[in-house]
Amino acid sequence: MYTQLPGASQLQYGGSSIPDVARSGQLDALIALERIGTRSRFSCNQQIYCQGESGGECWYRVISGTVRITNLLQDGRRHIAEFCFSDDGFGLESTAERSFSAEAVGDVTVMRYPRAATERLAEGYPAVARLLRDMALKSLTAAQSRLIILGRMTATERVVSFLLELSERFDSEKHIELPMCRCDIGDYLGLTIETVCRVFSDLKRRGVIEVLPHSITLLDRFALEAMGED
Amino acid sequence: MYTQLPGASQLQYGGSSIPDVARSGQLDALIALERIGTRSRFSCNQQIYCQGESGGECWYRVISGTVRITNLLQDGRRHIAEFCFSDDGFGLESTAERSFSAEAVGDVTVMRYPRAATERLAEGYPAVARLLRDMALKSLTAAQSRLIILGRMTATERVVSFLLELSERFDSEKHIELPMCRCDIGDYLGLTIETVCRVFSDLKRRGVIEVLPHSITLLDRFALEAMGED
DNA sequence: CGCCAGTTTGACCAAGATCAACGCAAGTGG
DNA sequence: CCACTTGCGTTGATCTTGGTCAAACTGGCG
Protein backbone atom coordinates (compact mmCIF):
# COMPACT_ATOMS: atom_id res chain seq x y z
CA MET A 1 0.00 0.00 0.00
CA TYR A 2 2.71 2.47 0.96
CA THR A 3 4.23 2.17 -2.46
CA GLN A 4 1.26 4.14 -3.71
CA LEU A 5 1.99 7.08 -1.45
CA PRO A 6 3.36 10.05 -3.31
CA GLY A 7 6.96 10.24 -2.21
CA ALA A 8 7.39 12.78 0.55
CA SER A 9 10.13 14.46 -1.45
CA GLN A 10 7.66 15.23 -4.24
CA LEU A 11 5.16 16.98 -2.05
CA GLN A 12 6.75 20.40 -1.99
CA TYR A 13 5.97 20.88 1.67
CA GLY A 14 8.79 23.36 2.24
CA GLY A 15 11.79 21.05 1.94
CA SER A 16 10.12 18.14 3.68
CA SER A 17 12.05 14.95 4.21
CA ILE A 18 10.45 11.84 5.64
CA PRO A 19 11.23 12.72 9.29
CA ASP A 20 9.79 16.23 8.84
CA VAL A 21 6.64 14.82 7.40
CA ALA A 22 6.27 12.39 10.25
CA ARG A 23 6.98 14.98 12.91
CA SER A 24 4.39 17.39 11.62
CA GLY A 25 1.69 14.74 11.48
CA GLN A 26 1.48 14.94 7.71
CA LEU A 27 2.26 11.29 7.30
CA ASP A 28 -0.95 10.41 9.16
CA ALA A 29 -2.86 12.63 6.79
CA LEU A 30 -1.32 11.01 3.73
CA ILE A 31 -1.95 7.52 5.03
CA ALA A 32 -5.57 8.42 5.71
CA LEU A 33 -5.82 9.81 2.19
CA GLU A 34 -4.38 6.65 0.64
CA ARG A 35 -6.86 4.56 2.61
CA ILE A 36 -9.81 6.15 0.82
CA GLY A 37 -8.18 5.77 -2.60
CA THR A 38 -8.52 2.88 -5.02
CA ARG A 39 -6.15 1.97 -7.80
CA SER A 40 -7.38 1.46 -11.34
CA ARG A 41 -5.96 0.89 -14.80
CA PHE A 42 -6.93 2.18 -18.21
CA SER A 43 -5.66 1.25 -21.64
CA CYS A 44 -4.91 3.48 -24.60
CA ASN A 45 -7.69 5.97 -25.45
CA GLN A 46 -9.99 4.65 -22.73
CA GLN A 47 -12.05 7.31 -21.01
CA ILE A 48 -11.51 7.91 -17.29
CA TYR A 49 -14.39 10.35 -17.09
CA CYS A 50 -16.43 12.20 -19.65
CA GLN A 51 -17.26 15.81 -20.40
CA GLY A 52 -20.87 16.53 -19.41
CA GLU A 53 -20.96 13.68 -16.90
CA SER A 54 -22.76 14.67 -13.70
CA GLY A 55 -20.73 15.70 -10.71
CA GLY A 56 -17.06 15.34 -10.09
CA GLU A 57 -17.55 12.51 -7.62
CA CYS A 58 -13.87 11.71 -7.65
CA TRP A 59 -10.49 13.15 -8.28
CA TYR A 60 -7.43 11.24 -9.41
CA ARG A 61 -3.69 11.01 -9.22
CA VAL A 62 -1.55 9.51 -11.97
CA ILE A 63 0.59 6.60 -10.81
CA SER A 64 2.09 5.78 -14.18
CA GLY A 65 1.43 6.69 -17.80
CA THR A 66 0.00 9.85 -19.34
CA VAL A 67 -3.53 11.25 -19.15
CA ARG A 68 -4.96 13.95 -21.41
CA ILE A 69 -7.65 16.35 -20.23
CA THR A 70 -9.72 17.27 -23.27
CA ASN A 71 -12.53 19.55 -24.26
CA LEU A 72 -14.74 18.99 -27.29
CA LEU A 73 -16.90 21.54 -29.12
CA GLN A 74 -20.09 20.45 -30.86
CA ASP A 75 -18.59 20.84 -34.32
CA GLY A 76 -15.75 18.50 -33.46
CA ARG A 77 -13.00 20.96 -32.70
CA ARG A 78 -11.02 19.54 -29.83
CA HIS A 79 -8.65 21.07 -27.34
CA ILE A 80 -6.36 19.47 -24.79
CA ALA A 81 -6.21 21.47 -21.58
CA GLU A 82 -3.51 19.48 -19.90
CA PHE A 83 -1.29 16.42 -20.06
CA CYS A 84 -0.90 14.72 -16.68
CA PHE A 85 2.16 12.61 -15.90
CA SER A 86 3.02 10.54 -12.86
CA ASP A 87 2.15 12.13 -9.56
CA ASP A 88 -0.02 14.83 -11.18
CA GLY A 89 -3.50 15.20 -9.78
CA PHE A 90 -6.53 15.81 -11.99
CA GLY A 91 -10.31 15.81 -11.95
CA LEU A 92 -10.88 18.28 -9.13
CA GLU A 93 -13.55 20.57 -10.51
CA SER A 94 -15.70 23.22 -8.91
CA THR A 95 -18.62 22.86 -11.30
CA ALA A 96 -21.51 20.43 -10.93
CA GLU A 97 -20.94 18.98 -14.39
CA ARG A 98 -17.56 17.89 -15.75
CA SER A 99 -16.41 20.37 -18.37
CA PHE A 100 -13.60 18.10 -19.56
CA SER A 101 -12.97 14.47 -20.38
CA ALA A 102 -9.95 12.57 -19.11
CA GLU A 103 -8.49 9.88 -21.37
CA ALA A 104 -5.55 7.53 -21.17
CA VAL A 105 -2.86 8.39 -23.72
CA GLY A 106 -1.20 4.99 -23.36
CA ASP A 107 -1.57 2.41 -20.64
CA VAL A 108 -2.27 4.27 -17.42
CA THR A 109 -2.57 3.51 -13.73
CA VAL A 110 -4.31 6.02 -11.48
CA MET A 111 -5.49 6.33 -7.91
CA ARG A 112 -9.09 7.44 -7.54
CA TYR A 113 -10.19 9.37 -4.45
CA PRO A 114 -13.88 9.98 -3.66
CA ARG A 115 -14.54 13.66 -3.35
CA ALA A 116 -16.86 13.61 -0.34
CA ALA A 117 -14.51 11.49 1.75
CA THR A 118 -11.61 13.73 0.81
CA GLU A 119 -13.54 16.79 1.93
CA ARG A 120 -14.25 15.17 5.26
CA LEU A 121 -10.58 14.30 5.60
CA ALA A 122 -9.62 17.88 4.79
CA GLU A 123 -11.72 19.10 7.72
CA GLY A 124 -9.61 17.05 10.10
CA TYR A 125 -6.21 17.17 8.46
CA PRO A 126 -4.91 20.59 7.38
CA ALA A 127 -2.22 18.75 5.43
CA VAL A 128 -4.87 17.19 3.20
CA ALA A 129 -6.51 20.57 2.67
CA ARG A 130 -3.14 21.96 1.76
CA LEU A 131 -2.40 19.13 -0.63
CA LEU A 132 -5.64 19.82 -2.47
CA ARG A 133 -4.93 23.52 -2.59
CA ASP A 134 -1.40 23.02 -3.88
CA MET A 135 -2.73 20.68 -6.52
CA ALA A 136 -5.24 23.26 -7.69
CA LEU A 137 -2.65 26.04 -7.64
CA LYS A 138 -0.21 23.95 -9.63
CA SER A 139 -2.81 23.29 -12.32
CA LEU A 140 -3.76 26.96 -12.25
CA THR A 141 -0.18 28.08 -12.82
CA ALA A 142 0.15 25.60 -15.68
CA ALA A 143 -3.10 26.72 -17.29
CA GLN A 144 -2.29 30.41 -16.97
CA SER A 145 1.15 30.09 -18.49
CA ARG A 146 -0.45 28.31 -21.41
CA LEU A 147 -2.83 31.20 -21.96
CA ILE A 148 -0.04 33.43 -23.22
CA ILE A 149 1.31 30.60 -25.37
CA LEU A 150 -2.04 30.09 -27.07
CA GLY A 151 -2.88 33.75 -27.21
CA ARG A 152 0.33 35.35 -28.33
CA MET A 153 2.95 32.92 -29.58
CA THR A 154 3.84 31.75 -33.09
CA ALA A 155 3.69 28.11 -34.16
CA THR A 156 7.45 27.64 -33.69
CA GLU A 157 7.43 29.24 -30.24
CA ARG A 158 4.53 27.01 -29.18
CA VAL A 159 6.23 23.81 -30.27
CA VAL A 160 9.56 24.83 -28.73
CA SER A 161 7.96 25.74 -25.40
CA PHE A 162 6.15 22.40 -25.48
CA LEU A 163 9.41 20.51 -25.96
CA LEU A 164 11.16 22.47 -23.22
CA GLU A 165 8.20 21.93 -20.89
CA LEU A 166 8.31 18.19 -21.51
CA SER A 167 12.05 18.06 -21.08
CA GLU A 168 11.85 19.94 -17.80
CA ARG A 169 9.11 17.60 -16.63
CA PHE A 170 11.38 14.62 -17.32
CA ASP A 171 14.43 15.84 -15.37
CA SER A 172 15.80 17.96 -18.21
CA GLU A 173 16.62 14.92 -20.28
CA LYS A 174 17.80 15.62 -23.82
CA HIS A 175 15.94 12.60 -25.07
CA ILE A 176 12.17 12.83 -24.79
CA GLU A 177 9.82 9.92 -25.35
CA LEU A 178 6.59 11.37 -26.70
CA PRO A 179 3.69 9.37 -25.31
CA MET A 180 1.16 11.27 -27.43
CA CYS A 181 0.58 11.43 -31.18
CA ARG A 182 1.00 14.51 -33.39
CA CYS A 183 -2.72 15.09 -33.28
CA ASP A 184 -2.66 15.41 -29.48
CA ILE A 185 0.25 17.83 -29.69
CA GLY A 186 -1.64 19.94 -32.18
CA ASP A 187 -4.75 20.01 -30.03
CA TYR A 188 -2.64 20.91 -27.00
CA LEU A 189 -0.92 23.81 -28.76
CA GLY A 190 -3.87 25.12 -30.77
CA LEU A 191 -2.26 24.12 -34.08
CA THR A 192 -3.10 21.65 -36.82
CA ILE A 193 -1.23 18.40 -37.04
CA GLU A 194 0.33 19.56 -40.33
CA THR A 195 1.76 22.68 -38.73
CA VAL A 196 3.23 20.63 -35.88
CA CYS A 197 4.92 18.38 -38.46
CA ARG A 198 6.25 21.30 -40.44
CA VAL A 199 7.74 22.92 -37.36
CA PHE A 200 9.35 19.63 -36.32
CA SER A 201 10.80 19.25 -39.81
CA ASP A 202 12.05 22.80 -39.79
CA LEU A 203 13.74 22.38 -36.39
CA LYS A 204 15.29 19.16 -37.64
CA ARG A 205 16.55 20.87 -40.80
CA ARG A 206 18.14 23.55 -38.62
CA GLY A 207 19.83 20.84 -36.58
CA VAL A 208 18.39 21.72 -33.19
CA ILE A 209 16.37 18.55 -32.68
CA GLU A 210 16.29 14.95 -33.87
CA VAL A 211 12.83 13.65 -34.77
CA LEU A 212 11.36 10.16 -34.66
CA PRO A 213 7.62 9.44 -34.63
CA HIS A 214 7.56 8.82 -30.88
CA SER A 215 10.68 10.50 -29.59
CA ILE A 216 12.56 13.77 -29.89
CA THR A 217 16.16 14.51 -28.97
CA LEU A 218 17.16 18.06 -28.10
CA LEU A 219 20.47 18.64 -29.85
CA ASP A 220 20.88 22.36 -29.15
CA ARG A 221 19.03 23.44 -26.05
CA PHE A 222 20.55 26.91 -26.16
CA ALA A 223 19.16 27.58 -29.62
CA LEU A 224 15.80 26.16 -28.55
CA GLU A 225 15.60 28.39 -25.51
CA ALA A 226 16.39 31.39 -27.68
CA MET A 227 13.51 30.45 -30.00
CA GLY A 228 11.12 29.87 -27.11
CA GLU A 229 10.96 33.49 -25.93
CA ASP A 230 9.85 34.28 -22.39
CA MET B 1 -15.26 46.33 9.52
CA TYR B 2 -18.04 43.90 8.80
CA THR B 3 -19.00 45.75 5.69
CA GLN B 4 -15.80 44.38 4.17
CA LEU B 5 -16.86 40.81 4.75
CA PRO B 6 -17.81 39.03 1.59
CA GLY B 7 -21.54 38.50 1.97
CA ALA B 8 -22.30 35.01 3.18
CA SER B 9 -24.65 34.53 0.25
CA GLN B 10 -21.77 34.95 -2.18
CA LEU B 11 -19.59 32.30 -0.68
CA GLN B 12 -21.06 29.28 -2.42
CA TYR B 13 -20.89 27.16 0.70
CA GLY B 14 -23.72 24.83 -0.27
CA GLY B 15 -26.69 27.12 0.11
CA SER B 16 -25.39 28.84 3.20
CA SER B 17 -27.47 31.54 4.85
CA ILE B 18 -26.17 33.59 7.76
CA PRO B 19 -27.51 31.21 10.45
CA ASP B 20 -25.96 28.20 8.69
CA VAL B 21 -22.64 29.94 8.50
CA ALA B 22 -22.76 30.84 12.17
CA ARG B 23 -23.81 27.37 13.26
CA SER B 24 -20.98 25.67 11.42
CA GLY B 25 -18.37 28.03 12.82
CA GLN B 26 -17.65 29.49 9.41
CA LEU B 27 -18.51 32.98 10.53
CA ASP B 28 -15.70 32.86 13.08
CA ALA B 29 -13.32 31.82 10.33
CA LEU B 30 -14.39 34.66 8.07
CA ILE B 31 -14.13 37.22 10.85
CA ALA B 32 -10.64 35.97 11.67
CA LEU B 33 -9.74 36.25 7.99
CA GLU B 34 -11.02 39.82 7.78
CA ARG B 35 -9.00 40.76 10.85
CA ILE B 36 -5.72 39.97 9.08
CA GLY B 37 -6.74 41.86 5.95
CA THR B 38 -6.09 45.50 5.13
CA ARG B 39 -7.97 47.64 2.67
CA SER B 40 -6.18 49.61 -0.02
CA ARG B 41 -7.01 51.69 -3.08
CA PHE B 42 -5.41 51.96 -6.47
CA SER B 43 -6.10 54.33 -9.30
CA CYS B 44 -6.24 53.66 -13.04
CA ASN B 45 -3.26 51.69 -14.39
CA GLN B 46 -1.54 51.58 -11.01
CA GLN B 47 0.30 48.36 -10.30
CA ILE B 48 -0.85 46.22 -7.38
CA TYR B 49 2.04 43.82 -7.76
CA CYS B 50 4.56 43.20 -10.48
CA GLN B 51 5.65 40.24 -12.59
CA GLY B 52 9.07 39.02 -11.40
CA GLU B 53 8.58 40.46 -7.93
CA SER B 54 9.84 38.12 -5.26
CA GLY B 55 7.36 35.97 -3.42
CA GLY B 56 3.62 36.16 -3.31
CA GLU B 57 3.60 37.64 0.15
CA CYS B 58 -0.04 38.51 -0.14
CA TRP B 59 -3.22 37.63 -1.89
CA TYR B 60 -6.09 39.96 -2.60
CA ARG B 61 -9.82 40.26 -2.96
CA VAL B 62 -11.50 42.87 -5.10
CA ILE B 63 -13.93 45.07 -3.16
CA SER B 64 -14.84 47.36 -6.03
CA GLY B 65 -13.54 48.07 -9.51
CA THR B 66 -11.75 45.85 -12.01
CA VAL B 67 -8.26 44.36 -11.85
CA ARG B 68 -6.36 42.87 -14.78
CA ILE B 69 -3.83 40.10 -14.34
CA THR B 70 -1.21 40.52 -17.06
CA ASN B 71 1.82 38.77 -18.44
CA LEU B 72 4.49 40.50 -20.48
CA LEU B 73 7.03 38.94 -22.84
CA GLN B 74 10.45 40.57 -23.35
CA ASP B 75 9.57 41.78 -26.83
CA GLY B 76 6.53 43.63 -25.55
CA ARG B 77 3.79 41.18 -26.43
CA ARG B 78 1.27 41.29 -23.61
CA HIS B 79 -1.42 38.93 -22.50
CA ILE B 80 -4.18 39.35 -19.94
CA ALA B 81 -4.79 36.14 -18.01
CA GLU B 82 -7.84 37.30 -16.14
CA PHE B 83 -10.11 40.21 -15.30
CA CYS B 84 -11.14 40.27 -11.65
CA PHE B 85 -14.35 41.96 -10.55
CA SER B 86 -15.81 42.54 -7.13
CA ASP B 87 -15.46 39.64 -4.75
CA ASP B 88 -12.95 37.82 -6.99
CA GLY B 89 -9.74 36.71 -5.32
CA PHE B 90 -6.36 37.00 -7.01
CA GLY B 91 -2.65 36.84 -6.34
CA LEU B 92 -2.48 33.37 -4.83
CA GLU B 93 0.47 31.80 -6.60
CA SER B 94 2.41 28.63 -5.98
CA THR B 95 5.69 29.87 -7.44
CA ALA B 96 8.37 31.79 -5.54
CA GLU B 97 8.34 34.61 -8.05
CA ARG B 98 5.22 36.33 -9.36
CA SER B 99 4.63 35.31 -12.94
CA PHE B 100 1.99 37.97 -13.50
CA SER B 101 1.37 41.60 -12.71
CA ALA B 102 -1.89 42.90 -11.30
CA GLU B 103 -3.04 46.35 -12.36
CA ALA B 104 -6.05 48.51 -11.64
CA VAL B 105 -8.22 48.95 -14.74
CA GLY B 106 -10.06 51.93 -13.23
CA ASP B 107 -10.26 53.05 -9.63
CA VAL B 108 -10.07 49.94 -7.50
CA THR B 109 -10.43 48.99 -3.85
CA VAL B 110 -9.01 45.68 -2.67
CA MET B 111 -8.46 43.80 0.55
CA ARG B 112 -4.94 42.50 1.00
CA TYR B 113 -4.31 39.37 3.09
CA PRO B 114 -0.79 38.33 4.14
CA ARG B 115 -0.05 34.86 2.90
CA ALA B 116 1.72 33.50 5.99
CA ALA B 117 -1.04 34.58 8.36
CA THR B 118 -3.64 33.10 6.04
CA GLU B 119 -1.79 29.78 6.01
CA ARG B 120 -1.75 29.75 9.79
CA LEU B 121 -5.45 30.54 9.84
CA ALA B 122 -6.12 27.73 7.39
CA GLU B 123 -4.50 25.26 9.80
CA GLY B 124 -7.06 26.14 12.45
CA TYR B 125 -10.15 26.88 10.38
CA PRO B 126 -11.09 24.34 7.69
CA ALA B 127 -13.48 26.95 6.33
CA VAL B 128 -10.56 29.22 5.47
CA ALA B 129 -8.70 26.36 3.82
CA ARG B 130 -11.80 25.64 1.83
CA LEU B 131 -12.25 29.26 0.83
CA LEU B 132 -8.72 29.30 -0.54
CA ARG B 133 -9.23 26.06 -2.40
CA ASP B 134 -12.52 27.21 -3.92
CA MET B 135 -10.85 30.41 -4.99
CA ALA B 136 -8.06 28.50 -6.72
CA LEU B 137 -10.51 26.07 -8.33
CA LYS B 138 -12.66 28.92 -9.60
CA SER B 139 -9.67 30.59 -11.24
CA LEU B 140 -8.61 27.22 -12.62
CA THR B 141 -11.99 26.61 -14.25
CA ALA B 142 -11.91 30.10 -15.73
CA ALA B 143 -8.38 29.67 -17.07
CA GLN B 144 -9.09 26.25 -18.56
CA SER B 145 -12.23 27.34 -20.35
CA ARG B 146 -10.23 30.17 -21.86
CA LEU B 147 -7.67 27.71 -23.21
CA ILE B 148 -10.11 26.39 -25.77
CA ILE B 149 -11.18 29.92 -26.66
CA LEU B 150 -7.59 30.98 -27.36
CA GLY B 151 -6.61 27.71 -28.96
CA ARG B 152 -9.51 26.90 -31.20
CA MET B 153 -11.96 29.74 -31.67
CA THR B 154 -12.26 32.37 -34.39
CA ALA B 155 -12.09 36.10 -33.70
CA THR B 156 -15.88 36.46 -33.75
CA GLU B 157 -16.39 33.51 -31.42
CA ARG B 158 -13.83 34.93 -29.00
CA VAL B 159 -15.43 38.35 -28.85
CA VAL B 160 -18.92 36.90 -28.51
CA SER B 161 -17.89 34.56 -25.71
CA PHE B 162 -16.25 37.51 -23.98
CA LEU B 163 -19.45 39.55 -24.16
CA LEU B 164 -21.56 36.66 -22.91
CA GLU B 165 -19.10 36.01 -20.09
CA LEU B 166 -19.22 39.64 -19.02
CA SER B 167 -22.99 39.73 -19.25
CA GLU B 168 -23.29 36.60 -17.13
CA ARG B 169 -20.88 38.08 -14.60
CA PHE B 170 -23.11 41.15 -14.30
CA ASP B 171 -26.39 39.33 -13.65
CA SER B 172 -27.18 38.71 -17.32
CA GLU B 173 -27.71 42.38 -17.95
CA LYS B 174 -28.27 43.35 -21.58
CA HIS B 175 -26.35 46.55 -21.02
CA ILE B 176 -22.67 46.05 -20.23
CA GLU B 177 -20.38 48.83 -19.04
CA LEU B 178 -16.89 48.00 -20.31
CA PRO B 179 -14.36 49.06 -17.68
CA MET B 180 -11.44 48.16 -19.95
CA CYS B 181 -10.21 49.63 -23.23
CA ARG B 182 -10.13 47.84 -26.60
CA CYS B 183 -6.47 47.14 -26.13
CA ASP B 184 -7.16 45.20 -22.93
CA ILE B 185 -9.90 43.23 -24.66
CA GLY B 186 -7.51 42.35 -27.47
CA ASP B 187 -4.82 41.21 -25.07
CA TYR B 188 -7.39 39.17 -23.16
CA LEU B 189 -8.65 37.40 -26.27
CA GLY B 190 -5.36 36.97 -28.10
CA LEU B 191 -6.42 39.39 -30.86
CA THR B 192 -5.23 42.79 -32.03
CA ILE B 193 -7.18 45.89 -31.11
CA GLU B 194 -8.08 46.34 -34.79
CA THR B 195 -9.62 42.90 -35.01
CA VAL B 196 -11.66 43.53 -31.86
CA CYS B 197 -12.96 46.75 -33.42
CA ARG B 198 -13.79 45.07 -36.70
CA VAL B 199 -15.74 42.31 -34.94
CA PHE B 200 -17.65 44.88 -32.87
CA SER B 201 -18.47 46.82 -36.02
CA ASP B 202 -19.55 43.68 -37.81
CA LEU B 203 -21.82 42.62 -34.94
CA LYS B 204 -23.26 46.14 -34.88
CA ARG B 205 -23.88 46.04 -38.63
CA ARG B 206 -25.72 42.75 -38.18
CA GLY B 207 -27.84 44.36 -35.47
CA VAL B 208 -26.99 42.00 -32.62
CA ILE B 209 -25.23 44.54 -30.43
CA GLU B 210 -25.06 48.29 -29.88
CA VAL B 211 -21.56 49.71 -29.49
CA LEU B 212 -20.27 52.72 -27.60
CA PRO B 213 -16.62 53.18 -26.63
CA HIS B 214 -17.23 52.13 -23.04
CA SER B 215 -20.46 50.17 -23.18
CA ILE B 216 -22.13 47.46 -25.19
CA THR B 217 -25.81 46.54 -25.35
CA LEU B 218 -26.78 43.01 -26.31
CA LEU B 219 -29.73 43.39 -28.68
CA ASP B 220 -30.09 39.77 -29.78
CA ARG B 221 -28.77 37.36 -27.21
CA PHE B 222 -30.13 34.37 -29.09
CA ALA B 223 -28.10 35.21 -32.18
CA LEU B 224 -25.05 35.88 -30.05
CA GLU B 225 -25.29 32.53 -28.31
CA ALA B 226 -25.58 30.83 -31.69
CA MET B 227 -22.37 32.56 -32.79
CA GLY B 228 -20.55 31.71 -29.57
CA GLU B 229 -20.48 27.94 -30.10
CA ASP B 230 -19.89 25.62 -27.13
C1' DC C 1 -10.25 75.94 -30.06
C1' DG C 2 -6.65 72.44 -30.67
C1' DC C 3 -4.52 68.54 -28.74
C1' DC C 4 -4.29 63.80 -27.56
C1' DA C 5 -5.45 59.24 -26.51
C1' DG C 6 -8.36 55.92 -27.81
C1' DT C 7 -11.09 54.06 -31.58
C1' DT C 8 -12.45 52.92 -36.25
C1' DT C 9 -11.73 51.83 -41.07
C1' DG C 10 -9.20 50.48 -45.22
C1' DA C 11 -5.41 48.28 -48.08
C1' DC C 12 -2.24 44.94 -48.08
C1' DC C 13 0.41 40.94 -46.30
C1' DA C 14 1.80 36.63 -44.05
C1' DA C 15 1.22 32.82 -40.86
C1' DG C 16 -1.01 29.05 -40.51
C1' DA C 17 -5.31 26.36 -42.05
C1' DT C 18 -7.16 23.46 -45.52
C1' DC C 19 -7.07 20.15 -49.03
C1' DA C 20 -4.73 16.61 -51.27
C1' DA C 21 -1.23 13.34 -52.18
C1' DC C 22 2.24 10.32 -50.68
C1' DG C 23 5.31 7.48 -47.43
C1' DC C 24 5.73 4.05 -44.17
C1' DA C 25 5.14 0.51 -40.76
C1' DA C 26 2.00 -2.66 -38.60
C1' DG C 27 -1.58 -5.54 -38.99
C1' DT C 28 -4.90 -8.84 -41.68
C1' DG C 29 -6.43 -12.34 -44.52
C1' DG C 30 -6.01 -15.26 -48.50
C1' DC D 1 4.59 -15.03 -48.27
C1' DC D 2 2.44 -11.38 -50.43
C1' DA D 3 -1.47 -8.19 -51.66
C1' DC D 4 -4.34 -5.08 -49.21
C1' DT D 5 -5.87 -2.16 -45.64
C1' DT D 6 -5.39 1.11 -41.95
C1' DG D 7 -3.51 4.66 -39.15
C1' DC D 8 -0.15 7.90 -38.54
C1' DG D 9 3.24 11.11 -40.19
C1' DT D 10 5.18 14.14 -43.77
C1' DT D 11 5.17 17.33 -47.65
C1' DG D 12 3.30 20.46 -51.17
C1' DA D 13 -0.17 23.87 -53.29
C1' DT D 14 -3.52 27.03 -52.35
C1' DC D 15 -6.64 29.85 -49.58
C1' DT D 16 -8.36 32.44 -45.51
C1' DT D 17 -8.14 34.71 -41.32
C1' DG D 18 -6.43 37.87 -38.84
C1' DG D 19 -2.10 40.80 -38.40
C1' DT D 20 0.36 45.03 -39.93
C1' DC D 21 0.66 49.55 -41.40
C1' DA D 22 -1.41 53.81 -42.23
C1' DA D 23 -4.83 57.23 -42.12
C1' DA D 24 -9.04 59.25 -40.49
C1' DC D 25 -12.32 59.98 -36.88
C1' DT D 26 -14.15 61.03 -32.04
C1' DG D 27 -14.70 62.83 -27.58
C1' DG D 28 -12.81 64.76 -23.48
C1' DC D 29 -10.06 68.26 -21.59
C1' DG D 30 -6.82 72.03 -20.87
Side-chain angles (χ1 to χ4, degrees), chain A residues 42-163:
Chain A
F42 296 88
S43 53
C44 191
N45 294 327
Q46 230 186 319
Q47 236 169 25
I48 300 172
Y49 56 78
C50 179
Q51 179 175 355
E53 212 171 275
S54 67
E57 310 299 353
C58 295
W59 62 278
Y60 302 79
R61 179 188 292 276
V62 178
I63 303 298
S64 71
T66 305
V67 172
R68 60 169 178 258
I69 309 298
T70 70
N71 196 331
L72 215 58
L73 298 179
Q74 291 96 310
D75 61 5
R77 279 177 292 182
R78 188 181 76 146
H79 189 252
I80 295 183
E82 208 179 351
F83 286 115
C84 299
F85 306 106
S86 43
D87 209 44
D88 286 342
F90 65 94
L92 252 190
E93 287 184 45
S94 57
T95 47
E97 196 175 85
R98 292 240 182 246
S99 33
F100 300 89
S101 302
E103 295 156 2
V105 171
D107 284 355
V108 164
T109 307
V110 300
M111 284 292 280
R112 179 206 316 262
Y113 306 89
R115 186 191 175 94
T118 312
E119 299 273 337
R120 256 175 278 126
L121 224 52
E123 303 283 316
Y125 293 103
V128 170
R130 186 161 173 169
L131 180 81
L132 292 177
R133 177 155 36 96
D134 283 348
M135 204 174 93
L137 278 180
K138 211 172 137 198
S139 296
L140 177 62
T141 305
Q144 287 188 330
S145 27
R146 293 198 43 241
L147 288 176
I148 193 164
I149 291 177
L150 296 181
R152 285 288 178 229
M153 289 199 178
T154 64
T156 304
E157 288 169 336
R158 292 182 205 205
V159 171
V160 167
S161 72
F162 172 69
L163 292 178

Side-chain angles (χ1 to χ4, degrees), chain B residues 82-197:
Chain B
E82 208 179 350
F83 286 115
C84 299
F85 306 106
S86 44
D87 210 43
D88 286 342
F90 64 94
L92 252 190
E93 286 184 46
S94 57
T95 48
E97 196 175 83
R98 293 237 181 248
S99 36
F100 300 89
S101 303
E103 296 156 1
V105 170
D107 284 354
V108 164
T109 306
V110 300
M111 282 293 280
R112 178 207 316 264
Y113 305 90
R115 186 191 175 95
T118 313
E119 298 275 336
R120 257 175 278 126
L121 223 52
E123 303 284 317
Y125 293 104
V128 170
R130 184 160 176 171
L131 179 80
L132 292 177
R133 176 155 36 96
D134 284 348
M135 205 175 92
L137 278 180
K138 211 172 136 197
S139 296
L140 177 62
T141 306
Q144 286 188 329
S145 25
R146 293 198 41 239
L147 287 176
I148 193 164
I149 291 177
L150 296 182
R152 286 289 179 226
M153 289 198 178
T154 64
T156 305
E157 288 169 336
R158 292 181 204 205
V159 170
V160 168
S161 72
F162 171 69
L163 292 178
L164 292 174
E165 180 196 337
L166 271 191
S167 157
E168 199 163 322
R169 193 64 174 65
F170 297 133
D171 304 313
S172 298
E173 280 291 331
K174 289 167 91 75
H175 187 78
I176 305 170
E177 293 294 322
L178 293 179
M180 69 292 283
C181 63
R182 296 287 186 273
C183 181
D184 284 347
I185 299 175
D187 285 343
Y188 183 68
L189 297 175
L191 299 172
T192 59
I193 171 176
E194 293 95 330
T195 302
V196 172
C197 273

Side-chain angles (χ1 to χ4, degrees), chain A residues 157-170 172-173 176 218 220-230:
Chain A
E157 288 169 336
R158 292 182 205 205
V159 171
V160 167
S161 72
F162 172 69
L163 292 178
L164 292 175
E165 179 195 338
L166 271 192
S167 158
E168 199 164 322
R169 194 63 174 66
F170 297 134
S172 299
E173 280 291 331
I176 305 170
L218 310 186
D220 186 351
R221 181 183 294 266
F222 184 73
L224 277 175
E225 274 162 5
M227 298 164 83
E229 183 73 28
D230 188 66

